[in-house]
Amino acid sequence: MKKPGCFITLEGVEGVGKTTNMAFVCDTLTEHLQASGRNLVRTREPGGTPLAEEIRTLLLAPRDEVVADLSELLLMFAARAQHLESQIRPALAAGDWVVCDRFTDATYAYQGGGRGLPIEHIQVLEKLVQGSLQPDLTIYLDLPWDLAAKRIADRERDRLESESHQFFTAVRQAYLDRAKSHPRFVVISAAEALPEVQHNIGRCLQDFLRSRSEL
Ligand code: TMP
């Protein structure tokens, strides 16, 4: 019988090296999964399908009109509903592993922690859109905003990346609070040099594979 799929998410504020480490996570797991003839689906949020990518463009574009916090929240979940329906759920049902660059923990961190929206509102939408589906493992790359901001100093900023120091400090705190109360989180310091960070991610993946009797 085919083993069930698995859902892994990667989280962190901008500047923590998410893109580089996403590639590392996917390469490490692909090597392992290929041996047993299974697929890995690499995806991201907001986005992951044509419609959800269009919503991402709407969300991230700098604009003169102030985006209402609730509109931002609903657009995040609109993109997520599409992503779940047409990409994530079918892949998991087929026994694939899905690695997603951000998921609902980002909503709790950015729209909850950063924007200050009530957690209960996020919980209602989470239940509606996801039902009981949760990631099996969440790797959170942690870095104080001062250091993260320095790393993206030369980057052209999108609408969310242009937020304040206070916003990102609240986002980080919300991630750390969630990590404390959700055992699926593994917190990895992104302040170390890249080889050290990847060594720690590699160890976390080995532990996870072992816990799923995959090693
Ligand atoms: P990134 O995927 O390039 O890091 O950018 C996506 C941006 O969207 C990032 O600033 C975090 C933000 N975001 C939210 O605010 N809420 C969410 O639920 C998700 C998935 C992302």
Side-chain angles (χ1 to χ4, degrees):
M1 202 178 74
K2 204 165 192 179
K3 286 190 178 176
C6 186
F7 185 27
I8 297 175
T9 57
L10 190 63
E11 298 278 356
V13 296
E14 8 289 278
V16 295
K18 217 158 35 64
T19 309
T20 309
N21 288 306
M22 181 77 184
F24 175 77
V25 168
C26 291
D27 290 349
T28 307
L29 290 174
T30 299
E31 225 170 87
H32 172 81
L33 292 175
Q34 268 171 354
S36 51
R38 282 171 297 164
N39 297 322
L40 181 133
V41 175
R42 174 181 175 165
T43 188
R44 69 172 181 180
E45 289 216 343
T49 83
L51 173 60
E53 288 289 333
E54 283 187 40
I55 298 173
R56 177 189 177 91
T57 304
L58 286 177
L59 274 162
L60 300 188
R63 60 182 73 242
D64 293 334
E65 181 182 3
V66 174
V67 178
D69 294 346
L70 188 57
S71 306
E72 186 176 281
L73 176 69
L74 292 170
L75 284 169
M76 291 294 174
F77 272 106
R80 184 161 300 134
Q82 184 67 21
H83 193 202
L84 280 163
E85 177 77 15
S86 70
Q87 169 89 297
I88 297 177
R89 287 192 194 280
L92 294 174
D96 294 344
W97 283 41
V98 176
V99 182
C100 193
D101 182 342
R102 300 191 185 281
F103 194 61
T104 307
D105 295 307
T107 313
Y108 281 99
Y110 284 76
Q111 283 65 53
R115 300 284 187 226
L117 284 170
I119 295 305
E120 304 78 55
H121 293 184
I122 302 176
Q123 284 168 335
V124 167
L125 292 168
E126 179 184 33
K127 185 95 196 106
L128 177 71
V129 170
Q130 282 165 240
S132 60
L133 182 75
Q134 290 291 331
D136 298 295
L137 169 69
T138 298
I139 299 174
Y140 168 60
L141 298 172
D142 182 53
L143 196 62
W145 177 243
D146 287 345
L147 294 177
K150 275 194 196 132
R151 291 189 187 173
I152 60 163
D154 297 338
R155 222 194 258 177
E156 201 180 322
R157 309 267 176 116
D158 63 33
R159 190 178 62 84
L160 278 151
E161 287 168 343
S162 309
E163 283 298 335
S164 63
H165 180 282
Q166 192 190 354
F167 176 88
F168 283 107
T169 303
V171 169
R172 178 188 183 216
Q173 193 54 53
Y175 270 130
L176 289 171
D177 291 345
R178 273 186 84 68
K180 266 195 214 127
S181 56
H182 292 77
R184 67 180 155 82
F185 265 79
V186 174
V187 179
I188 291 187
S189 167
E192 322 300 330
L194 186 61
E196 179 72 13
V197 173
Q198 296 195 334
H199 172 77
N200 292 334
I201 293 175
R203 246 193 3 210
C204 153
L205 292 175
Q206 295 288 318
D207 288 347
F208 179 71
L209 288 167
R210 213 168 285 121
S211 76
R212 307 232 346 158
S213 307
E214 292 276 349
L215 281 185

